[in-house]
Amino acid sequence: MDGDVAAVEAVALADLADAAQADDATAALERWRVQYLGTQGRVTQLLRAIGKQPAEQRKAFGMAVQATRDRLETAHRRALSEAEQAKLRRQLASERLDVTLPGRPVAAGVPHPTIQAMNDILRAFANLGFQAVEGPEVEWDYFNFQALNIPPDHPARDMWDTLWIDDRMLLRTHTSPMQVRYMREHAPPLRVIFPGRGYRYEQLDATHESQFFQFEGLMVDERVSFADLKGVLTDVARQLFGAQRRTRFRCDYFPFVEPGAEMAIDCFLCEGKDASCRVCKGSGWLEILGAGMVHPKVLEYGGLDPNRYQGFAFGTGIERIAMPRYGIEDIRLFYQNDLRFLRQLRVPPAEPPTWERGAAW
Ligand code: FA5
């Protein structure tokens, strides 16, 4: 019988060595433990057989089995501990962190050129007490056209190539719908600027995108005149484009203002002296916005009495203002997300911000 015990031990140790080499050694060692030392295991069966041995052999057999069990338990504990340590070493190796490696650089972004230009514009108007308010981009025909004195089927609708959602809803073609929306919710005096996106069904070219940024301005009070309009816009033009800027107002037509005007500034780059100037194309003037006195009908749509209140409004495209500033010749570059383009526009210069010194961009 002692021979049986020795044979079982030899096989068990060989199996233990195999289990320790397995991919998942911990699980294999547990299977080994059940096979040899578990309640139905081979060694446990030998232990149970002690009592069945002839009396003269029982003691020696019992001692041999118990010694085998002790050695196998010790060998199993050691193998398990080694397997767990090996597993830990593998895990640590895979998670090793070399703190001496140089870190990955964090690419610091800068505001998009449109946003930079918009922030400068908002600050310039804030200096004059104008508050910025945003509005919906999906708009009713009613606010985009009808309440701006452009009834259905009026030919002036052709001025705006419209992206319709259904026969009453559209993507706003300009920020002007905010005029009536705001007048309905607020009592004069009003001094507001409405920045935001506009959408048009456009033939895309160097100066036309189907999605672009505009800002709209509105001032309403008793006794507001065209002189106020000129004063505010001239002051802002000087904050943005240079303290010496001159402005020019010429007649223009928009159904929601009367009279209507187009405003130009004298060229901040060549001062009108360069016939091949990239900003003014040699004309000496740069048209930057549409404006006018709010039409009495629009005041009525806004719930205000036109005999008591007057106001002026203006609107322009932000990219078209940013383009001459950065020397960008194609508006489509703004939204192509080409980092090479955006990185070279890392403005602002090291000089103090313009709104503090009222000088040129
Ligand atoms: C208007 O949209 C009027 N709402 C402006 C206005 C407001 C006039 C208040 C009077 C009183 P206009 O269609 O001209 O006007 O557009 C104004 C500006 O938006 C343009 O001068 C241009 O700078 C910009 N713009 C218009 N269409 C596009 C386009 N497709 N891509 C980029 N910018 C555009």
Side-chain angles (χ1 to χ4, degrees), residues 205-209 319 323 329-335:
D205 63 24
T207 51
H208 292 85
E209 258 288 358
E319 295 87 351
M323 284 169 79
E329 272 155 22
D330 194 322
I331 194 171
R332 289 167 291 194
L333 289 166
F334 276 90
Y335 304 116

Side-chain angles (χ1 to χ4, degrees), residues 15-282:
D15 284 354
L16 187 70
D18 287 348
Q21 297 303 318
D23 280 347
D24 187 354
T26 317
L29 289 170
E30 174 58 11
R31 281 195 299 278
W32 180 94
R33 190 193 63 76
V34 172
Q35 189 184 348
Y36 289 100
L37 302 172
T39 46
Q40 302 301 323
R42 286 289 290 120
V43 176
T44 313
Q45 283 169 8
L46 289 174
L47 283 167
R48 287 202 193 105
I50 296 172
K52 296 177 194 148
Q53 301 302 313
E56 65 281 8
Q57 292 172 15
R58 198 174 294 156
K59 187 173 176 201
F61 179 78
M63 284 173 64
V65 173
Q66 281 176 8
T68 291
R69 184 197 54 192
D70 292 348
R71 279 194 295 276
L72 289 179
E73 277 181 353
T74 306
H76 176 259
R77 263 199 308 278
R78 191 182 311 124
L80 193 62
S81 150
E82 276 169 13
E84 278 166 358
Q85 279 180 24
K87 190 173 172 184
L88 190 63
R89 274 196 302 277
R90 280 198 302 278
Q91 192 181 339
L92 287 175
S94 72
E95 291 174 2
R96 200 174 62 179
L97 178 69
D98 184 349
V99 291
T100 64
L101 282 175
R104 291 199 188 107
V106 178
V110 290
H112 189 277
T114 309
I115 300 300
Q116 293 185 33
M118 190 185 329
N119 287 342
D120 286 348
I121 290 164
L122 297 184
R123 281 190 203 98
F125 279 101
N127 289 342
L128 300 179
F130 281 72
Q131 190 189 358
V133 175
E134 293 187 280
E137 293 174 15
V138 177
E139 187 54 282
W140 297 107
D141 171 313
Y142 180 82
F143 286 113
N144 197 82
F145 290 127
Q146 293 181 44
L148 290 173
N149 198 27
I150 313 171
D153 303 321
H154 192 282
R157 288 196 174 209
D158 291 347
M159 291 166 70
W160 291 276
D161 299 300
T162 309
L163 288 158
W164 292 93
I165 287 174
D166 59 28
D167 55 359
R168 291 192 309 146
M169 208 184 259
L170 44 80
L171 292 181
R172 68 176 178 190
T173 57
H174 49 179
T175 41
S176 299
M178 283 305 289
Q179 291 185 29
V180 169
R181 278 186 178 275
Y182 195 81
M183 281 191 264
R184 288 190 174 187
E185 301 289 328
H186 300 84
L190 310 179
R191 257 187 285 181
V192 233
I193 173 159
F194 308 112
R197 282 193 183 83
Y199 300 85
R200 291 187 197 176
Y201 181 60
E202 291 280 16
Q203 179 75 45
L204 304 191
D205 63 24
T207 51
H208 292 85
E209 258 288 358
S210 53
Q211 174 193 317
F212 50 92
F213 277 84
Q214 283 196 333
F215 69 89
E216 185 89 5
L218 176 70
M219 178 166 174
V220 177
D221 203 348
E222 296 177 16
R223 291 185 294 280
V224 172
S225 73
F226 204 92
D228 297 307
L229 182 163
K230 288 180 78 173
V232 165
L233 293 181
T234 302
D235 185 287
V236 167
R238 287 179 180 164
Q239 288 189 60
L240 295 177
F241 292 100
Q244 313 306 320
R245 289 292 58 86
R246 289 183 298 134
T247 49
R248 181 187 74 181
F249 290 83
R250 295 201 300 195
C251 283
D252 200 353
Y253 171 70
F254 297 97
F256 34 91
V257 287
E258 180 59 36
E262 144 216 297
M263 179 182 126
I265 54 170
D266 61 336
C267 181
F268 57 85
L269 189 64
C270 76
E271 311 265 344
K273 291 175 193 144
D274 178 1
S276 59
C277 174
R278 66 170 162 77
V279 170
C280 69
K281 311 272 183 275

